[in-house]
Amino acid sequence: MDHRLSALSRRTVLLGGLAAATAVGAPSIAHAETRPGEGPADVENVGPASRMRYTRRAQDSYAALQRYFHDTASGFYLEEYPRTGGNPWAYVWPFSQAMVATQDMAGLRGLGHRYARDVDDRYSALEGYWNADTDPPGYDSYLRPPLGQGGDKFYDDNEWIALGYIQRHNMARHGDAAALRRASEIFDLLVFGWDTDPSHPCPGGVFWTQASWSNDRNTVSNAPGAEVGAHLYLATRRPYYLQWSTRMYDWVRSYMLAPNGLYWDHVDLAGRIEKTQWSYNQGVMIGAGVLLHRATGEQSYLDQAADTAEKALAFYAENERYFSQPARFHAIFFANLLQLSVLRPDPAYRAAMQWYADEARERFRDPATGLYRFDGPDPVTLLEQSGMVRIEAMLAWSPEDYHKLT
């Protein structure tokens, strides 16, 4: 994969066989007798038996992730299995999702200590992508020399990593000051990426990438930034973080909010809006609303988050749109639903998550390998396997720990 390709080409590569199916035109998959979040099969409490079932599944999926993707000697991951060419190791976006999946495994009560060393290994390997030679510094899209050729910086890549660092801080018994410092460095990079030209359509917003071939400003390059800023404000009470968090959130609400109450993907400098409604875009705006409510006490933020959640659950349930979009996006969506449930409990959140996990396992899991083959005989991607590890592991978490998620 070449990050000098067009933005559409990069998305097509990252989304694999699912890229062609947009949310609006997705075909129905006639399989389940109930819709997501409906019926007695979906209404299950978060009891020990349920959590243990998903614990076992997460352990199996993680073991497959490590067996087929992870290189113990280097600490890096393959982009796909089996590898069909290209770079020897994964780009930083897939790596970040494997990293967070590992952290979610470390959050399993009674078992998390078994994965503590793996979490440390992920963060050590992550530094191979860090570029301290730029101002501001940040993570390149690919490994830096001598391990690789480096690559353009993507603001959303850096946001996922910052959220991973914040989750590391949240999960540490006494916090993790170093993790917060790195998250704050990344936040400075995000502020640097803000569009300052008032003549542009939909003025403002954080660009998607520093690459010259794209000038898109995305929901997913602003809402996760709002989450990072709100987290840092809650940790430090520095107004700078809240001001920028609010600005990023408001930009998305102003320009990416569709008439159906969900969020579009991005706008370019010609003012053209790409209107696919990916699940992770809904998730990060839900999470940003929750965090801004916590930061400011304003009820409107929580109400907006709950409204997005309600509409998103109905949208993705219709014609099983869940299976027109990738698991890695749903992992982000569900993580934010669980954070919303801390302040606005609703059994529908976990019911939809459980429905998806159960259906994905039945339809796409290869029992011989433990890999999720969403694209049939094509190679399994690190992103999809990591997404399923995240989903299964979060279903095994105690609700008392949901506030640690990012």
Side-chain angles (χ1 to χ4, degrees):
M1 183 168 61
D2 188 343
H3 281 267
R4 293 171 296 179
L5 299 175
S6 68
L8 180 59
S9 297
R10 181 178 187 260
R11 287 192 186 89
T12 301
V13 171
L14 288 179
L15 293 174
L18 293 169
T22 65
V24 175
S28 173
I29 302 175
H31 181 275
E33 296 180 355
T34 57
R35 285 155 48 98
E38 291 184 353
D42 293 312
V43 184
E44 182 174 286
N45 60 32
V46 194
S50 174
R51 294 204 304 270
M52 182 54 65
R53 179 168 68 255
Y54 291 107
T55 294
R56 290 192 294 266
R57 292 182 183 182
Q59 287 178 302
D60 289 345
S61 298
Y62 181 77
L65 177 77
Q66 296 302 98
R67 181 179 303 116
Y68 294 104
F69 289 91
H70 188 248
D71 179 70
T72 304
S74 67
F76 301 126
Y77 281 95
L78 298 176
E79 182 97 0
E80 61 180 13
Y81 177 83
R83 182 185 167 211
T84 58
N87 291 313
W89 306 118
Y91 283 89
V92 76
W93 148 237
F95 182 93
S96 73
Q97 297 310 287
M99 180 182 77
V100 176
T102 307
Q103 291 186 148
D104 289 344
M105 294 300 295
L108 299 175
R109 288 201 170 188
L111 297 173
H113 64 281
R114 300 181 184 179
Y115 301 95
R117 184 172 296 179
D118 287 8
V119 172
D120 291 341
D121 176 73
R122 295 304 97 83
Y123 279 95
S124 294
L126 177 64
E127 290 312 288
Y129 298 89
W130 179 251
N131 186 346
D133 296 332
T134 55
D135 186 18
Y139 289 95
D140 280 2
S141 59
Y142 193 68
L143 288 161
R144 299 281 302 155
L147 300 168
Q149 72 277 10
D152 297 311
K153 288 186 180 64
F154 288 79
Y155 292 106
D156 62 330
D157 289 353
N158 279 271
E159 287 164 334
W160 305 129
I161 294 167
L163 289 170
Y165 272 111
I166 291 166
Q167 183 166 321
R168 192 176 200 195
H169 165 73
N170 291 346
M171 293 176 66
R173 179 173 297 180
H174 302 293
D176 189 324
L180 284 182
R181 282 195 298 271
R182 178 51 57 90
S184 69
E185 285 186 274
I186 294 171
F187 192 76
D188 290 341
L189 173 69
L190 307 182
V191 171
F192 177 81
W194 185 264
D195 181 12
T196 58
D197 189 337
S199 70
H200 287 162
C202 307
V206 177
F207 285 106
W208 181 47
T209 178
Q210 292 182 349
S212 60
W213 46 260
S214 172
N215 291 300
D216 295 344
R217 288 154 294 155
N218 294 49
T219 296
V220 82
S221 58
N222 284 273
E227 289 186 292
V228 174
H231 277 296
L232 290 170
Y233 173 76
L234 289 166
T236 67
R237 296 295 169 176
R238 282 188 59 195
Y240 162 80
Y241 294 123
L242 182 58
Q243 290 164 2
W244 274 106
S245 175
T246 305
R247 186 176 297 179
M248 293 172 189
Y249 180 86
D250 287 346
W251 183 87
V252 179
R253 290 281 299 179
S254 297
Y255 302 116
M256 293 292 102
L257 182 60
N260 68 349
L262 300 182
Y263 295 94
W264 291 320
D265 189 65
H266 70 268
V267 61
D268 64 19
L269 290 187
R272 294 182 296 256
I273 295 177
E274 208 294 306
K275 295 185 177 181
T276 305
Q277 294 181 323
W278 301 112
S279 63
Y280 73 158
N281 286 334
Q282 319 316 316
V284 289
M285 282 300 284
I286 290 168
V290 170
L291 289 163
L292 285 170
H293 168 74
R294 289 177 54 198
T296 66
E298 291 186 20
Q299 188 65 28
S300 60
Y301 289 123
L302 191 60
D303 291 342
Q304 289 163 4
D307 182 66
T308 301
E310 180 182 0
K311 291 173 178 174
L313 289 176
F315 182 79
Y316 297 114
E318 184 180 5
N319 294 325
E320 296 187 7
R321 282 194 178 100
Y322 282 106
F323 291 110
S324 72
Q325 299 193 15
R328 55 188 174 268
F329 287 2
H330 299 327
I332 293 167
F333 173 58
F334 291 136
N336 284 283
L337 281 182
L338 294 182
Q339 293 170 69
L340 172 59
S341 73
V342 174
L343 298 181
R344 187 70 67 84
D346 189 331
Y349 303 155
R350 191 179 188 278
M353 186 177 180
Q354 181 176 307
W355 180 91
Y356 177 79
D358 292 349
E359 290 295 318
R361 180 181 175 87
E362 182 176 345
R363 301 184 196 192
F364 299 109
R365 182 179 179 272
D366 177 2
T369 62
L371 296 174
Y372 278 86
R373 296 191 172 276
F374 289 97
D375 294 316
D378 291 346
V380 179
T381 67
L382 177 62
L383 277 166
E384 291 302 270
Q385 189 69 19
S386 299
M388 289 308 302
V389 172
R390 290 191 65 185
I391 292 168
E392 291 169 341
M394 288 187 291
L395 282 167
W397 273 39
S398 168
E400 296 175 8
D401 295 328
Y402 289 167
H403 68 282
K404 300 177 184 177
L405 292 166
T406 58

